[in-house]
Amino acid sequence: MYFPSWLSQLYKGLSRPIRRTTQPIWGSLYRSLVQSSQRTNPEFNSFAVRTNTCGELRSSHLGQEVTLCGWIQYRRQNTFLVLRDFHGLVQVVIPQDESAASVKKILCEAPVESVVRVSGTVTSRPAGQENPKMPTGKIEIKVKTAELLNACKKLPFEIKDFMKKTEALRLQYRYLDLRSFQMQYNLRLRSQMVMKMREYLCNLHGFVDIETPTLFKRTPGGAKEFLVPSREPGKFYSLPQSPQQFKQLLMVGGLDRYFQVARCYRDEGSRPDRQPEFTQIDIEMSFVDQTGIQSLIEGLLQYSWPNDKDPVVVPFPTVTFTEALATYGTDKPDTRFGMKIIDISDVFRNTEIGFLQDALSKPHGTVKAICIPEGAKYLKRKDIESIRKFAADHFNQEILPVFLNANRNWNSPVANFIMESQRLELIRLMDTQEEDVVLLTAGEHSKAKKFQSSSSKLNVPRLSFPYNSKLKKAIYFQILL
């Protein structure tokens, strides 16, 4: 069989003994990867007709001839305009002399949000006209030439961050919404985090980034799948819910450290933690234990975390499955809000309160409680009654509220039946403070725990805004989920 000369040479190179070539090849590859990862200052103007971005010019650039491209942010008195790109803003001086009439005509007649290219000299702003709120506030550009690249028509909303826009309008004109500072920041931040994740996994820990197929066969189990018609009648492809089978094949095939930024598809209704289409960092390893996986993920997040955010502290706090169910009543607790479930059965062994007596007399009877910090400030009587009705309708449970007033007095329907020793012990166990609200429930262990796990989501008093009916409905909806 005939092979082209270049293919024959390639085959000979690849067919050499592995022991002779493995070390030099991997050593060279590793050095090139490390060198590329050490380039921390990206060149934003390479391959472009501009010489600088709008946001990078400073006093150190005085006297330089520059070419800028961007959107007209706004114009003032046909004398100045502010040019914007993804990097920032810069003030441009419109020439007023007759020799530059064509330049003035372009810059004065171009609608706001038009795209222009200007060339000119970086000069200092006149004394007293500096703008300390702008990074480029000490300089301005005296334009010599200008070109209108794309004129803007009337827009449905102004491209200004302080302008309030409905979400529906933003989604309808997504290409305009993408120009906002927040959207630019979000997308660039995501890109930076994904790149740092690749650096951490590939360069530092020897993972291989492998792209798996998108069109696959149906895999029963889990969520419903999206179907893609094929050319053959009655036959379809399925979009994968996750690359589970592919990465298992890779492990069997000897690629013991795999990852990819995987696109996943699930044909189900949107929920706070689910949507039909999403991206995940998909990782699979061989010859590893639970501790190794935990350390890998902790290091990955710490390495890729944005520099302008609070640093990630490792190791992450951990809790066992049994502890999570006992303390929060769920295997995925939100620990930010506290409000742990406390077993106070021993406090009320000799109580005179009827429904507590009935519950504790049963073999698996228990009394559970959660403390809502500063709940007395926000929860009104009607709110407590709504919670009690909710518990009765959905869990067949009775709720006993206890309010702690500023003078440490207890305000409760059964306050007179709680002995002083029980009060002191309850305060110690629950670590209650003034203005707190304690919710007690009693019954069989599983039922009491189930309601308390739902009630623990009532984290409103820990937030910075008052409790209200709309928020209450949203919380109840979350509990029902």
Side-chain angles (χ1 to χ4, degrees):
M1 184 178 292
Y2 170 76
F3 292 97
S5 59
W6 65 268
L7 187 58
S8 300
Q9 294 176 4
L10 177 62
Y11 176 77
K12 292 178 181 179
L14 293 176
S15 62
R16 291 173 184 172
I18 295 178
R19 58 183 177 86
R20 296 181 184 176
T21 60
T22 299
Q23 195 65 29
I25 288 177
W26 283 111
S28 175
L29 176 61
Y30 178 77
R31 285 193 298 272
S32 64
L33 289 174
V34 171
Q35 290 173 359
S36 65
S37 67
Q38 291 175 346
R39 298 168 189 157
T40 56
N41 297 321
E43 177 52 64
F44 293 109
N45 305 304
S46 55
F47 318 116
V49 295
R50 66 178 180 228
T51 60
N52 300 87
T53 62
C54 294
E56 69 175 294
L57 298 175
R58 300 292 187 272
S59 297
S60 58
H61 296 89
L62 291 176
Q64 293 186 14
E65 297 292 324
V66 298
T67 299
L68 307 177
C69 300
W71 287 261
I72 298 177
Q73 179 81 357
Y74 61 87
R75 184 170 37 240
R76 185 170 67 247
Q77 299 176 351
N78 287 341
T79 304
F80 304 98
L81 63 81
V82 172
L83 200 63
R84 182 193 79 242
D85 64 9
F86 72 93
H87 209 67
L89 306 171
V90 67
Q91 179 170 284
V92 173
V93 181
I94 301 175
Q96 303 297 319
D97 49 304
E98 292 294 333
S99 60
S102 60
V103 174
K104 181 179 180 181
K105 177 180 175 64
I106 292 173
L107 297 181
C108 290
E109 294 182 358
V112 173
E113 286 301 315
S114 295
V115 184
V116 297
R117 177 171 61 192
V118 298
S119 298
T121 307
V122 181
T123 61
S124 296
R125 293 196 186 191
Q129 296 186 16
E130 297 88 352
N131 186 351
K133 296 181 180 180
M134 289 177 61
T136 60
K138 292 184 178 181
I139 60 96
E140 59 189 11
I141 309 298
K142 287 195 173 181
V143 178
K144 295 180 180 178
T145 62
E147 180 182 357
L148 178 63
L149 300 179
N150 199 347
C152 179
K153 298 180 180 180
K154 184 177 180 180
L155 300 179
F157 55 82
E158 295 186 61
I159 313 298
K160 292 183 174 63
D161 291 314
F162 61 83
M163 296 294 296
K164 300 298 181 181
K165 304 170 282 288
T166 64
E167 185 175 8
L169 189 64
R170 290 176 55 198
L171 292 175
Q172 182 180 358
Y173 299 96
R174 195 59 161 174
Y175 57 94
L176 297 177
D177 186 50
L178 290 175
R179 298 183 191 177
S180 67
F181 169 80
Q182 190 62 53
M183 291 299 300
Q184 289 275 324
Y185 173 82
N186 291 346
L187 292 173
R188 296 180 190 280
L189 177 62
R190 182 188 186 278
S191 174
Q192 293 170 9
M193 289 192 67
V194 171
M195 179 57 67
K196 295 185 74 173
M197 286 181 175
R198 294 184 190 275
E199 290 178 2
Y200 180 83
L201 293 171
C202 293
N203 298 357
L204 302 183
H205 294 286
F207 279 77
V208 183
D209 185 359
I210 301 176
E211 185 175 309
T212 56
T214 300
L215 299 178
F216 193 46
K217 66 179 182 179
R218 181 174 178 270
T219 54
K224 295 181 180 179
E225 298 171 324
F226 287 104
L227 299 180
V228 180
S230 69
R231 298 176 63 185
E232 298 185 34
K235 294 186 177 181
F236 298 82
Y237 294 104
S238 287
L239 300 182
Q241 300 182 38
S242 69
Q244 184 65 39
Q245 296 187 40
F246 297 121
K247 61 187 180 184
Q248 291 173 349
L249 292 174
L250 292 172
M251 295 301 106
V252 176
L255 291 156
D256 62 343
R257 293 194 167 198
Y258 140 90
F259 90 98
Q260 73 167 310
V261 182
R263 203 70 175 163
C264 303
Y265 308 90
R266 293 174 181 172
D267 188 9
E268 58 186 19
S270 295
R271 290 186 289 173
D273 60 344
R274 287 290 176 89
Q275 55 187 12
E277 181 181 3
F278 61 93
T279 304
Q280 68 183 29
I281 302 295
D282 196 61
I283 298 176
E284 189 74 22
M285 295 177 67
S286 298
F287 318 115
V288 69
D289 57 12
Q290 177 178 322
T291 303
I293 291 292
Q294 290 176 338
S295 299
L296 169 70
I297 300 304
E298 289 171 354
L300 174 65
L301 292 176
Q302 187 180 47
Y303 184 87
S304 60
W305 201 250
N307 295 328
D308 59 345
K309 306 295 182 183
D310 293 335
V312 173
V313 179
V314 298
F316 295 166
T318 58
V319 60
T320 65
F321 178 78
T322 303
E323 292 171 341
L325 290 182
T327 307
Y328 300 97
T330 176
D331 60 349
K332 50 178 181 179
D334 190 336
T335 61
R336 296 174 297 172
F337 305 110
M339 290 189 291
K340 297 179 179 180
I341 302 172
I342 306 296
D343 191 331
I344 57 173
S345 302
D346 293 338
V347 178
F348 293 99
R349 289 294 177 189
N350 300 318
T351 183
E352 298 179 4
I353 303 174
F355 89 98
L356 298 183
Q357 282 183 341
D358 295 340
L360 293 175
S361 64
K362 298 177 181 179
H364 298 288
T366 182
V367 180
K368 304 278 188 177
I370 61 172
C371 177
I372 303 178
E374 299 184 345
K377 291 183 178 180
Y378 304 108
L379 294 174
K380 300 178 181 179
R381 286 293 177 186
K382 63 178 182 178
D383 300 321
I384 294 296
E385 291 304 319
S386 297
I387 294 174
R388 298 184 70 177
K389 185 177 184 302
F390 177 83
D393 294 344
H394 294 83
F395 299 95
N396 194 26
Q397 288 290 121
E398 186 171 352
I399 297 299
L400 176 62
V402 178
F403 288 78
L404 275 68
N405 296 329
N407 57 2
R408 306 289 289 182
N409 291 330
W410 287 31
N411 186 353
S412 173
V414 293
N416 295 332
F417 297 97
I418 302 177
M419 296 182 292
E420 185 63 25
S421 59
Q422 293 174 334
R423 296 188 185 196
L424 295 176
E425 182 65 11
L426 188 59
I427 290 174
R428 184 188 69 81
L429 289 175
M430 304 296 298
D431 192 23
T432 55
Q433 305 294 328
E434 294 180 353
E435 304 296 334
D436 289 353
V437 172
V438 177
L439 297 180
L440 289 78
T441 187
E444 294 182 11
H445 176 76
S446 58
K447 290 184 178 180
K449 180 177 65 178
K450 184 176 181 181
F451 172 70
Q452 290 289 358
S453 68
S454 298
S455 299
S456 65
K457 295 182 180 181
L458 289 171
N459 47 48
V460 184
R462 297 294 295 272
L463 303 179
S464 59
F465 48 83
Y467 188 76
N468 58 62
S469 58
K470 290 185 179 180
L471 190 56
K472 180 175 64 177
K473 291 178 181 178
I475 292 167
Y476 285 168
F477 178 75
Q478 185 182 16
I479 291 174
L480 285 171
L481 295 179

